[in-house]
Amino acid sequence: ATYVASSLVGGTKYPWLEYLPKNAPHLETKVKQQLRLLSSEESALGSPPHAPDELSDFTFDWNIWDKHYIDNCLFDDPQLGEVGTSLIPSQMEEKEFWENYAKHLHVICKAVVAQHNEIIAMQAEEAAAAALKAEEAAILQNVGNKGEVQARGGHTSGAGPKEKMDKSRRKANSVAVLDDAMRRDIQAFEKELMDELGEDFDQTVIVGKGDKLELADMEDLEEELSAILEGDDNFPEGGR
């Protein structure tokens, strides 16, 4: 006798729907494609899959399968009935056949869902990277706009970071306070701080050398530089 579904039980209750997220209906198509390949090879359902790790959380309730899933699976995939006719009962009992099928289905569904989750995670990472890049571009654009307005004689809430850095460099260089190595250190540190601080960087400059670089208030530094230029004896030799 041919092993076929007597009727579609309980509407469309299929075992793979227990594994798949409801917001990703396209995954059902992928699972069913894999199950079609499984039922096309009689030998595949003659034994359980060789996947002990994937089956570590597998459970099988024969009563639920017998009541809800078997007829529906046969209805969905007539080819599965042909394999069952060949194997039952000559090579195995009906319960063993369906437990093998359920194990294969378990492994297939877990693989499909895992791949789906990896794609979602990758898309989230790409979106976060794109948002960060856009934010950085906006900050750089804002800094550039401030500098452009200043260059054209316009007004902003204060001198841009480029103008302040150039002013402090001209004063310092005029009295040979900064040597070449110190300027290279400051330039690298300024760039790093501008990337991190954005507009907050407007109120600071950098002093020191090597691993002793530190932040200083712009107005305080200008007063100290003015004191150097005017020959203030109270200002310590060598600066800060």
Side-chain angles (χ1 to χ4, degrees):
T2 303
Y3 194 57
V4 297
S6 58
S7 64
L8 188 62
V9 178
T12 56
K13 190 168 185 178
Y14 297 109
W16 50 82
L17 296 180
E18 301 297 325
Y19 294 89
L20 306 180
K22 294 181 179 180
N23 62 346
H26 64 285
L27 297 183
E28 183 177 8
T29 300
K30 292 185 176 182
V31 169
K32 292 172 75 170
Q33 288 174 346
Q34 294 296 316
L35 292 175
R36 296 293 188 279
L37 292 175
L38 178 68
S39 63
S40 67
E41 298 182 15
E42 180 178 314
S43 60
L45 289 172
S47 60
H50 300 289
D53 292 337
E54 288 78 1
L55 291 172
S56 61
D57 57 346
F58 173 79
T59 59
F60 181 74
D61 190 325
W62 168 244
N63 291 326
I64 292 178
W65 273 81
D66 187 37
K67 182 178 179 180
H68 298 291
Y69 293 149
I70 291 177
D71 281 335
N72 290 353
C73 290
L74 292 170
F75 187 88
D76 183 75
D77 183 9
Q79 189 172 246
L80 184 60
E82 296 178 9
V83 177
T85 299
S86 176
L87 296 177
I88 302 170
S90 61
Q91 298 186 37
M92 62 182 62
E93 296 296 324
E94 182 182 29
K95 180 179 178 181
E96 182 183 0
F97 172 83
W98 284 107
E99 185 171 359
N100 286 345
Y101 178 81
K103 287 180 178 179
H104 282 283
L105 183 146
H106 181 84
V107 172
I108 289 171
C109 287
K110 287 185 67 174
V112 169
V113 171
Q115 184 183 48
H116 171 71
N117 291 339
E118 288 178 2
I119 293 173
I120 294 298
M122 185 180 300
Q123 290 174 341
E125 290 179 1
E126 291 175 351
L132 179 60
K133 185 176 181 180
E135 182 180 356
E136 291 174 347
I139 292 173
L140 292 176
Q141 181 65 38
N142 185 44
V143 172
N145 289 341
K146 281 188 175 184
E148 184 177 352
V149 170
Q150 288 293 322
R152 292 178 179 178
H155 298 281
T156 66
S157 58
K162 182 178 185 302
E163 287 71 30
K164 288 186 175 181
M165 286 188 287
D166 288 345
K167 184 177 179 181
S168 64
R169 285 173 183 159
R170 285 195 299 270
K171 287 186 177 181
N173 289 340
S174 66
V175 291
V177 173
L178 304 179
D179 59 20
D180 290 340
M182 186 182 296
R183 282 195 293 273
R184 285 195 296 271
D185 290 338
I186 288 179
Q187 288 169 356
F189 197 36
E190 282 174 345
K191 182 179 184 304
E192 179 180 353
L193 283 175
M194 182 175 288
D195 290 342
E196 295 182 0
L197 300 178
E199 294 185 2
D200 292 340
F201 185 74
D202 287 359
Q203 305 305 318
T204 60
V205 292
I206 304 160
V207 297
K209 181 176 179 181
D211 60 356
K212 297 181 179 180
L213 292 175
E214 61 182 28
L215 299 178
D217 184 84
M218 174 64 71
E219 294 182 357
D220 292 343
L221 182 62
E222 289 180 351
E223 290 177 3
E224 292 175 1
L225 289 173
S226 296
I228 294 175
L229 292 172
E230 294 170 3
D232 192 338
D233 295 335
N234 295 324
F235 188 81
E237 183 177 358
R240 296 171 65 92

